[in-house]
Amino acid sequence: MSQQGYVAAPPYSQAQAGMGGYSAGFGNPPPQSHYGAYGSPPQGYSAPPTGVLKPPASSPSGMPPPPVSSQYGANIQQNGAHPHSFPPPVASAPSMSPYGQPPQSAFHSMAQAPPPTQQLTNQMSAMNIGGYGQRPMQVPQSPSSSAAPQQYQTSPPLAMGHPLLFLPGQQPSSLGSPPPMATMGSMAAPPMGMSGPPRPGVHQPPLGPQGYPQQPGSPISGPYGAQMAGPQSGAFPGGFPGGPAQMAGPPQKKLDPDSIPSTTQVIEDDQAKRGGQVYVTNIRGQVPPLVTTDFTVQDQGNASPRFMRCTTYSFPSTADLAKQCKVPLAAIIKPFATVPKNETPLYIVNHGETGPIRCNRCKAYMCPYMQFIDGGRRYQCGFCSCVNEVPVQYFQHLDHMGRRMDLYERPELSLGSYEFIATLDYCKNNKPPNPPAYIFMIDVSYNNIKSGLVKLICEELKTLLDRLPKEEGAETSPIKVGFVTYNKILHFYNVKSALAQPQMMVVSDVAEMFVPLLDGFLVNFQESRAVVNNLLDQIPDMFADTNESETVFAPVIQAGVEALKAAECSGKLFIFHSSIPTAEAPGKLKNRDDRKLVGTEKEKTLFQPQRGVYEQLTKDCVAQGCCVDLFLFPNQFVDIATMGDVPSHTSGSIYKYSNFQVEVNGPQFVSDLRRDVEKSIGFDAIMRVRTGTGFRATDFFGAIYMNNTTDVEMAAVDCDKAVTVEFKHDDTLSEESGAVMQCALLYTTIGGQRRLRIHNLSLNCSSQLSELYKSCETDALINFFAKSAYRAMLTQPLKTVREILVNQMAHMLACYRKSCASPSAASQVSDTLHIHNCSDNSSVIIVFQQMSLPVLDNAHSRKIHSIISSISQQRATSMKLLIVKQKDQSEMLFRQHLVEDKGLHGGASYMDFLCYVHREIRQLLT
């Protein structure tokens, strides 16, 4: 983790050709001439008929109507349009005309609505950061004089989309020289980009010699405000140094709690302003609503924010400007994000045996940023500017605007997201893939039998296997299933449909793992339903009297990989495990829970996985397209750092249920298992992120594996997995043409078809810091910082990681205050939310999670169940509901989660943290 607060990128290099059995065609091409004919000899692959596969007829909406103009830049017009200005299209209600047809209704444009504002302060508090640095904190006195807040002089106002944590008492000004800044005052601050009348009790400081606010009692007046006192001794117990009891200086005025920014208020404000609206993606650099806001996306040339979000939608033009602002440049890509039912599903494009059209030089796929020229016979790549010949079969004339006549008949020319059907060139060893398999591997040791877990799993699988993922419109799932039970040896089961009873085969030599049978192990559930259900009925009884408590783990994963290899398919392993593997076998682990290391320089070793066997297992899994999902049920220490290493690098998930009890944890586990089995998924995936000239992808975060510096390998990719990509400058970016990026995901569908899913996004570029800050997106920033901090924990002490995070935040805000901020009035904070105050028509969301609650016939009961249901639908995993009574023993545990209050042992409160960050900023400025 660098001193800027995030991990430094490794040296950039080109992709390695022929990686993982794929042809080099997916990676970077060899050097080619600037002009050249594109295309390769026809392949012998029997592809479906050429054309566009439409969504099912029941789809609520078809393709969007043609926009009158594109917003991709003056020189990069959508498919060659001339650089003229046209009124933006108007967005529609969910019902739209069929694809390629003229619009049938008026559409409302969101182009005129500036994005709302919010603060990173509000959401950073939810990260529960403690130990915030070395310097003690002082709260400056509140000046008594007041001044009118400064209003914006530009139109439209510089409304910040989702800004960074703002410095209390400031607000961005119009472009130009930095305006005066306020001092701390009484923590008065609205979101950046907003202003309003002063509130009672909120004071503005008098101006100093240079027109900047002067704080009474300050020893030194710096160029950006009064300098605060130097470092003090002492520390918050469990928090950052310099607790309230040890603050030096004259008596301080108590800060007004109502002036503190509120996360809840920001979320509710964004929902009120942008909720229920249609977000049209035809505008370059448009900041989307918050992830918590309910909105509808209409794809008109840029990928939906459900698929791609950026930390800022206006990239700095130069590397020096990026270094100055300290804002990380990154994109969070969720390629398989769930598309709501009221939005159009992705269109599928089939270019036949010739495959997708690509740029000869950079290999970017055909998209709306390509500009057609020379009467349609050539096109200029929007990423590398290479001029390519248009293949004969893809030729189309241009209209008087320079756009192709079939612009709105081809998804790849008018949409931000779509899919190509891949040819044999994109398949391993040039062979079409087989449908994937799910293998359920159940730990039948003493703990799992005694707790009733094994019986619960077997009962649930009987109904769950009927709900395996399937292709759109298909009646049954093509996914095959297999079953393994194990303790310190492994049991494989033959469940072939022709058998009257399932057959068990035991493998006791776990040092050299092999699969004892091929035919009958992986079967179609519908065909073998009777045999499978018979097996699931017998498993709990077979091991009912077991006393075996030792287990193996690495051989279990190896067995699953070998089974998929033998079947020549990809797939997923569902492993239900209870204890640390102590049996004599490869991957045996020992207890290394050394509490004495906590808080020391060696604390990081507790989070580092043990390498060797598990490192090789990861490589084997990724190469085979084998995703591992681990369900853990520990009663004591388990080495999750090591056992979870394979799932975390194969795009798998880890679920943990400590001290499992069927009555207490059963519903939570069953809910997680159902969602994990049913969710949409792709297998054996490789992702490449291409960018326009001037910047490039340098680092990647997520449940991924990387064999080189450019290709992101994922054994599987589902609707919950996101990859965070960091970018760096190579050269100066053009403000006129902006910045473009394309995510290309090559994967295998559950039906065994190889496809390419494409997501495109265009951003603004600016040399003005104010433009960058007002285009920041808080959700993406928090995602980036959380993932970079998670990675840094493996190499640095937690205390250092916390300090770097706060230091990065302080640098960002100091730069913002120096370049963009001006005095402003206080922001409004909402009151606390209480369940007993909920009215029937309220839309409040609380922090309680799902569990079994009695359903009573009254409005209060219905409201609480509605709230719990709403929260459950927003989460990828289920959480159990804990009802806490006042003065109950569990109240102490509950209070630890109130991140805005002081900790039980004197830790910093939310307000203390804001004051500390404010002081850090002042130190940087002076």
Side-chain angles (χ1 to χ4, degrees), residues 35-72:
Y35 292 84
Y38 173 77
S40 57
Q43 306 295 326
Y45 178 48
S46 177
T50 304
V52 176
L53 302 186
K54 308 291 180 61
S58 60
S59 174
S61 60
M63 282 291 297
V68 181
S69 69
S70 72
Q71 301 289 339
Y72 303 130

Side-chain angles (χ1 to χ4, degrees), residues 667-687:
Q668 178 190 359
F669 160 65
V670 167
S671 176
D672 288 338
L673 179 59
R674 286 175 182 173
R675 191 178 193 281
D676 196 42
V677 171
E678 295 175 7
K679 62 187 176 185
S680 60
I681 190 171
F683 291 93
D684 199 13
I686 299 181
M687 189 179 86

Side-chain angles (χ1 to χ4, degrees), residues 410-446:
R410 291 190 177 275
E412 73 274 19
L413 299 182
S414 55
L415 297 180
S417 300
Y418 42 87
E419 287 194 341
F420 290 115
I421 292 179
T423 61
L424 282 178
D425 291 340
Y426 296 88
C427 302
K428 281 186 177 179
N429 304 316
N430 290 330
K431 292 174 57 179
N434 293 319
Y438 282 3
I439 303 178
F440 299 90
M441 316 184 87
I442 307 173
D443 171 5
V444 289
S445 60
Y446 175 78

Side-chain angles (χ1 to χ4, degrees), residues 268-284:
E268 292 179 351
D269 287 348
D270 194 71
Q271 175 64 37
K273 292 177 182 177
R274 311 186 75 178
Q277 296 186 10
V278 177
Y279 177 79
V280 186
T281 69
N282 64 324
I283 300 177
R284 187 181 78 190

Side-chain angles (χ1 to χ4, degrees), residues 607-738:
F607 310 129
Q608 296 170 351
Q610 300 181 44
R611 300 295 181 182
V613 172
Y614 292 96
E615 190 172 17
Q616 184 59 45
L617 269 179
T618 296
K619 295 179 180 179
D620 294 343
C621 286
V622 173
Q624 188 57 41
C626 174
C627 172
V628 178
D629 276 3
L630 177 59
F631 293 80
L632 275 174
F633 307 87
N635 292 330
Q636 54 188 356
F637 171 81
V638 287
D639 192 350
I640 298 183
T642 301
M643 297 177 67
D645 194 51
V646 177
S648 65
H649 284 90
T650 60
S651 302
S653 301
I654 303 173
Y655 305 85
K656 180 171 171 284
Y657 313 88
S658 298
N659 302 309
F660 180 84
Q661 300 178 47
V662 171
E663 299 79 11
V664 177
N665 309 93
Q668 178 190 359
F669 160 65
V670 167
S671 176
D672 288 338
L673 179 59
R674 286 175 182 173
R675 191 178 193 281
D676 196 42
V677 171
E678 295 175 7
K679 62 187 176 185
S680 60
I681 190 171
F683 291 93
D684 199 13
I686 299 181
M687 189 179 86
R688 170 72 68 86
V689 178
R690 293 178 172 87
T691 61
T693 55
F695 73 112
R696 56 186 168 85
T698 59
D699 208 356
F700 301 84
F701 305 84
I704 58 176
Y705 179 82
M706 297 195 69
N707 194 45
N708 54 54
T709 58
T710 55
D711 291 314
V712 178
E713 299 182 60
M714 293 178 281
V717 54
D718 59 49
C719 57
D720 296 325
K721 299 300 184 295
V723 179
T724 300
V725 185
E726 185 178 6
F727 302 102
K728 298 288 186 184
H729 281 77
D730 277 331
D731 204 346
T732 300
L733 296 175
S734 168
E735 295 188 43
E736 191 175 18
S737 57

Side-chain angles (χ1 to χ4, degrees), residues 309 311 329-334 687 699-704 712 722-727 780 783-785 787-788 791:
R309 278 181 181 262
T311 53
L329 307 180
I332 288 76
I333 304 175
K334 199 173 183 182
M687 189 179 86
D699 208 356
F700 301 84
F701 305 84
I704 58 176
V712 178
V723 179
T724 300
V725 185
E726 185 178 6
F727 302 102
N783 181 290
F784 176 85
F785 284 128
K787 286 183 177 178
S788 59
R791 179 185 291 183

Side-chain angles (χ1 to χ4, degrees), residues 415-719:
L415 297 180
S417 300
Y418 42 87
E419 287 194 341
F420 290 115
I421 292 179
T423 61
L424 282 178
D425 291 340
Y426 296 88
C427 302
K428 281 186 177 179
N429 304 316
N430 290 330
K431 292 174 57 179
N434 293 319
Y438 282 3
I439 303 178
F440 299 90
M441 316 184 87
I442 307 173
D443 171 5
V444 289
S445 60
Y446 175 78
N447 283 341
N448 283 359
I449 293 293
K450 181 182 178 182
S451 68
L453 173 65
V454 173
K455 183 175 180 61
L456 178 64
I457 294 172
C458 292
E459 288 296 322
E460 181 61 25
L461 286 179
K462 285 191 228 175
T463 57
L464 192 54
L465 293 177
D466 271 322
R467 291 152 38 188
L468 293 172
K470 54 188 177 183
E471 295 278 21
E472 188 71 36
E475 294 185 1
T476 60
S477 173
I479 296 176
K480 293 187 176 182
V481 296
F483 302 90
V484 174
T485 57
Y486 68 94
N487 36 54
K488 64 179 181 181
I489 59 176
L490 277 73
H491 323 100
F492 295 80
Y493 296 93
N494 185 346
V495 286
K496 193 174 182 180
S497 59
L499 297 176
Q501 290 284 334
Q503 298 176 347
M504 174 195 286
M505 297 188 178
V506 179
V507 176
S508 56
D509 184 7
V510 293
E512 297 291 335
M513 182 50 57
F514 67 96
V515 180
L517 75 160
L518 296 179
D519 186 34
F521 177 64
L522 296 178
V523 298
N524 181 288
F525 174 67
Q526 301 299 331
E527 297 174 358
S528 300
R529 176 189 297 271
V531 186
V532 169
N533 286 340
N534 197 341
L535 170 66
L536 295 174
D537 286 334
Q538 293 182 32
I539 286 177
D541 296 332
M542 279 191 290
F543 301 96
D545 299 325
T546 185
N547 291 317
E548 185 60 67
S549 59
E550 286 191 326
T551 60
V552 296
F553 184 68
V556 177
I557 300 177
Q558 189 64 50
V561 175
E562 294 300 326
L564 296 178
K565 280 184 181 178
E568 297 183 341
C569 70
S570 54
K572 179 187 279 193
L573 309 183
F574 295 82
I575 303 180
F576 306 92
H577 194 86
S578 64
S579 59
I580 189 170
T582 56
E584 288 300 326
K588 177 183 177 180
L589 299 176
K590 61 180 180 179
N591 190 325
R592 56 188 184 116
D593 185 23
D594 191 351
R595 298 299 175 92
K596 292 182 294 184
L597 298 181
V598 175
T600 70
E601 289 292 321
K602 294 184 179 180
E603 181 179 19
K604 59 190 177 185
T605 60
L606 299 176
F607 310 129
Q608 296 170 351
Q610 300 181 44
R611 300 295 181 182
V613 172
Y614 292 96
E615 190 172 17
Q616 184 59 45
L617 269 179
T618 296
K619 295 179 180 179
D620 294 343
C621 286
V622 173
Q624 188 57 41
C626 174
C627 172
V628 178
D629 276 3
L630 177 59
F631 293 80
L632 275 174
F633 307 87
N635 292 330
Q636 54 188 356
F637 171 81
V638 287
D639 192 350
I640 298 183
T642 301
M643 297 177 67
D645 194 51
V646 177
S648 65
H649 284 90
T650 60
S651 302
S653 301
I654 303 173
Y655 305 85
K656 180 171 171 284
Y657 313 88
S658 298
N659 302 309
F660 180 84
Q661 300 178 47
V662 171
E663 299 79 11
V664 177
N665 309 93
Q668 178 190 359
F669 160 65
V670 167
S671 176
D672 288 338
L673 179 59
R674 286 175 182 173
R675 191 178 193 281
D676 196 42
V677 171
E678 295 175 7
K679 62 187 176 185
S680 60
I681 190 171
F683 291 93
D684 199 13
I686 299 181
M687 189 179 86
R688 170 72 68 86
V689 178
R690 293 178 172 87
T691 61
T693 55
F695 73 112
R696 56 186 168 85
T698 59
D699 208 356
F700 301 84
F701 305 84
I704 58 176
Y705 179 82
M706 297 195 69
N707 194 45
N708 54 54
T709 58
T710 55
D711 291 314
V712 178
E713 299 182 60
M714 293 178 281
V717 54
D718 59 49
C719 57

